[in-house]
Amino acid sequence: MGDIWTVEDLGEGTHVFRWRPGFYASIFAVTGAGVIATDPIDPVAARAYREAIGTVTSQPVRWILYSHDHRDHITGADVLAPDAEVIAHHSVADWLAYRGDEDIPAPTRHLEDIDLLEFDSYRVSLHHFGPNHSRTNSALVFPTAGGPMLTFVDLVEPGVTPYRELPDTDIMGTIRSLRAASELEFATVMGGHRGPGDPEWVTGYLRYFEDLVERTEAAFRRGGGQNPLPGEDGIAMTERFRDNVCLTVTDELRARYGSWPGFDAWVPKNVDRVLGYIITGN
């Protein structure tokens, strides 16, 4: 416990398991029919997760719900509860099979783009808006004492700048998904690392990604695109041009987002990822 893991009770049966608090977080709920747990994280965290749930209830973990296909969130289900039913959006199973991830228990119950899970009187809704942080990432809405809580793992992490190079991220899909998520009914928002936070973080992330794309595209055009200077080879040109765009856009975004933790470390990497999207279309 303590600096290794904590549990936070959000009311209405919903809890947050924090692994190395400030590092990873997963939602679990105690229902009249058993426990539903999301994202076991990894085998080491899953053992702690099982212990943490045991401090709240003696009921077994009967269901494990994956938020998306990324390995850093969903390995360890066989450690957390080897007999539990594994549930996920139908796209998750396809990607696990494509990668050959035999160490991750495959979902045995496949959900649609909009689905409602009912466990006795406890309800979780799933909303899949298409690719965003991954091809499979879904928004989940849980009940809490403070009202519905939107959980959008890795896509919205309240209180912090989007992560580094935005790995496996569909840039325009992220914007579309944030727009759609902002239309849902929720009182707080949770990520897979941070939260719960104010619902304004959803529209804040949406505005950030819109600004990020708009300003990166403008800086790309002002700089003339990828054109070597006389006598400059392609490697030198790429590094010069991309470094200049990353620094320029970071400075332009500072007034609005500079107070976000991680801004100086991660915004230049965000810009570089968007440059990749502008250049390749992906």
Side-chain angles (χ1 to χ4, degrees):
M1 293 185 66
D3 60 346
I4 299 175
W5 61 264
T6 61
V7 170
E8 181 179 351
D9 185 353
L10 302 182
E12 301 296 326
T14 304
H15 299 74
V16 182
F17 166 70
R18 301 187 191 274
W19 172 240
R20 306 287 183 181
F23 188 37
Y24 278 82
S26 295
I27 304 300
F28 73 92
V30 180
T31 81
V35 175
I36 175 171
T38 68
D39 293 358
I41 304 172
D42 64 36
V44 175
R47 282 191 285 273
Y49 199 174
R50 185 177 60 203
E51 179 183 352
I53 291 171
T55 67
V56 174
T57 180
S58 61
Q59 291 201 68
V61 176
R62 293 187 56 194
W63 306 277
I64 296 175
L65 174 61
Y66 293 161
S67 63
H68 65 308
D69 66 285
H70 285 174
R71 293 183 56 84
D72 64 316
H73 286 275
I74 64 167
T75 58
D78 50 344
V79 174
L80 175 59
D83 297 323
E85 179 182 26
V86 179
I87 306 170
H89 184 261
H90 61 78
S91 59
V92 172
D94 295 338
W95 279 101
L96 295 183
Y98 176 79
R99 291 201 307 251
D101 286 343
E102 296 181 357
D103 59 327
I104 300 177
T108 53
R109 182 173 169 188
H110 303 154
L111 303 178
E112 300 304 317
D113 291 352
I114 300 176
D115 224 324
L116 179 65
L117 298 168
E118 297 186 82
F119 309 94
D120 194 42
S121 60
Y122 188 90
R123 295 183 173 186
V124 181
S125 61
L126 177 143
H127 307 266
H128 184 74
F129 304 119
N132 46 72
H133 167 69
S134 78
R135 299 167 184 84
T136 68
N137 201 25
S138 297
L140 306 169
V141 180
F142 295 88
T144 76
M149 181 177 70
L150 172 69
T151 300
F152 219 158
V153 172
D154 286 347
L155 190 68
V156 182
E157 295 293 340
V160 69
T161 301
Y163 180 68
R164 291 178 63 85
E165 298 90 352
L166 306 173
D168 200 23
T169 294
D170 182 303
I171 300 300
M172 297 313 296
T174 289
I175 291 174
R176 286 191 292 269
S177 293
L178 288 168
R179 285 175 181 161
S182 70
E183 298 297 322
L184 298 176
E185 181 183 349
F186 57 96
T188 56
V189 61
M190 181 85 195
H193 304 270
R194 304 284 292 259
D198 292 335
E200 288 78 12
W201 276 102
V202 176
T203 52
Y205 261 52
L206 172 58
R207 184 177 64 180
Y208 171 79
F209 274 98
E210 290 174 335
D211 287 348
L212 178 66
V213 172
E214 179 182 350
R215 291 181 178 272
T216 304
E217 286 180 332
F220 181 83
R221 290 193 300 270
R222 287 197 307 270
Q226 298 189 105
N227 291 299
L229 299 172
E232 185 179 41
D233 65 25
I235 295 173
M237 177 277 294
T238 297
E239 296 308 303
R240 170 186 58 78
F241 180 74
R242 292 183 79 132
D243 285 350
N244 287 342
V245 171
C246 290
L247 289 172
T248 297
V249 175
T250 298
D251 285 342
E252 291 176 354
L253 294 173
R254 187 176 303 279
R256 180 171 279 184
Y257 308 103
S259 63
W260 289 8
F263 179 91
D264 287 307
W266 290 353
V267 170
K269 298 178 189 298
N270 289 181
V271 178
D272 193 63
R273 170 67 186 91
V274 172
L275 269 174
Y277 156 71
I278 291 168
I279 292 165
T280 68
N282 292 303

